[in-house]
Amino acid sequence: MKLFIDTGSVAEVEELASWGVLSGATTNPSLLAKEEGDPGDIVRRICELVGGPVSAEVVSDRAEGMVEEGRALAGLHPHVVVKVPFSQAGLAATRELTDAGLRVNMTLVFSAAQALLAAEAGATYISCFMGRLDDIGVDSTAVVAEIVAALRPAGVTSQVLAASLRHPMHTVTAARLGCEVATAPGKVLRQMLVHPLTEAGIERFGDDWRARPEFGTWLEGLVDSSKVALS
Ligand code: E4P
């Protein structure tokens, strides 16, 4: 499963892209509205930083407007994927945009029935919002499992993108269920780093090594000689 970052913050993408684990990013109007500066510059910069698909969302409620906005957003950078909210108009716009060769992330999908329609409209990504389902007492695991199960036998090539992730277990669940992508906010990605045994293990290895200062000297020498060999 590929990991995307869900953010409108260039600084956050700069920090997390350096981990080497991000394959793309998703933005939405709410996330971009929190940021200072030109939204186009932000989207372009995120595209450069992640070097992969970056979703930028249309806001029109008419198919024609969505198509116009989608074409314009796609013109910002070759990595831009047009994010289109699920609706009748969104389906029509998705069909037109995908027929024109653009990639669409159909968002705000909350059921297998909606996912089947999004797939037929040609969406490259189908975003199911796990956190928002859990918020209203609907089991997001069951919904995502149903979406994956409904699309796979149909031979659909659309990728299921787990979104609205609120904690690391949402990400793990998405992977176990067979989602192709999960997009997580920086906070969740940082939480995924943490395990007390990892921290304790690193500390103990360091302490044991430092108890033998001559080993430190040996390793420094090894590093220096490997640099010489490479130069
Ligand atoms: C995904 O593409 C959306 O931007 C996002 O995951 C929404 O998350 P939220 O429900 O936390 O706003």
Side-chain angles (χ1 to χ4, degrees), residues 149-228:
L151 296 188
R152 291 302 159 259
V156 163
T157 57
S158 306
Q159 298 180 45
V160 179
L161 191 160
S164 185
L165 307 185
R166 302 278 164 77
H167 47 72
M169 281 314 293
H170 271 151
T171 318
V172 173
T173 300
R176 289 170 57 120
L177 294 175
C179 293
E180 283 82 6
V181 185
T183 189
K187 180 182 165 207
V188 171
L189 292 166
R190 286 186 204 96
Q191 287 171 335
M192 289 170 68
L193 288 174
V194 180
H195 196 289
L197 290 177
T198 304
E199 284 148 30
I202 290 171
E203 204 176 319
R204 193 189 306 168
F205 286 149
D207 288 348
D208 290 346
W209 191 259
R210 281 187 292 274
R212 298 291 301 271
E214 71 276 24
F215 280 15
T217 309
W218 167 80
L219 186 55
E220 280 169 25
L222 186 69
V223 169
D224 288 345
S225 52
S226 74
K227 283 182 188 164
V228 171

Side-chain angles (χ1 to χ4, degrees), residues 90-96 98-99 104 106 115-123:
L91 288 169
T94 297
R95 169 49 59 207
E96 196 168 334
T98 55
D99 282 351
V104 170
M106 178 139 265
L116 285 166
L117 291 172
E120 289 306 311

Side-chain angles (χ1 to χ4, degrees), residues 38-44 47 56 70-80:
D38 178 76
D41 289 344
I42 293 172
V43 169
R44 270 192 290 261
C47 286
R71 286 181 184 277
L73 290 169
L76 287 172
H77 193 281
H79 288 329
V80 169

Side-chain angles (χ1 to χ4, degrees), residues 130-163:
M130 298 183 76
R132 293 194 196 187
L133 280 166
D134 292 339
D135 288 346
I136 61 160
V138 175
D139 179 3
S140 63
T141 300
V143 174
V144 172
E146 196 175 25
I147 289 174
V148 174
L151 296 188
R152 291 302 159 259
V156 163
T157 57
S158 306
Q159 298 180 45
V160 179
L161 191 160

Side-chain angles (χ1 to χ4, degrees), residues 6 26-28 31 83 107 127 129 132 163-166 183:
D6 190 37
T26 49
T27 68
N28 65 40
L31 291 170
K83 205 176 189 189
T107 190
S127 287
F129 282 31
R132 293 194 196 187
S164 185
L165 307 185
R166 302 278 164 77
T183 189

Side-chain angles (χ1 to χ4, degrees), residues 109-116 128 143 146-147:
V109 169
F110 293 97
S111 71
Q114 290 180 329
L116 285 166
C128 178
V143 174
E146 196 175 25
I147 289 174

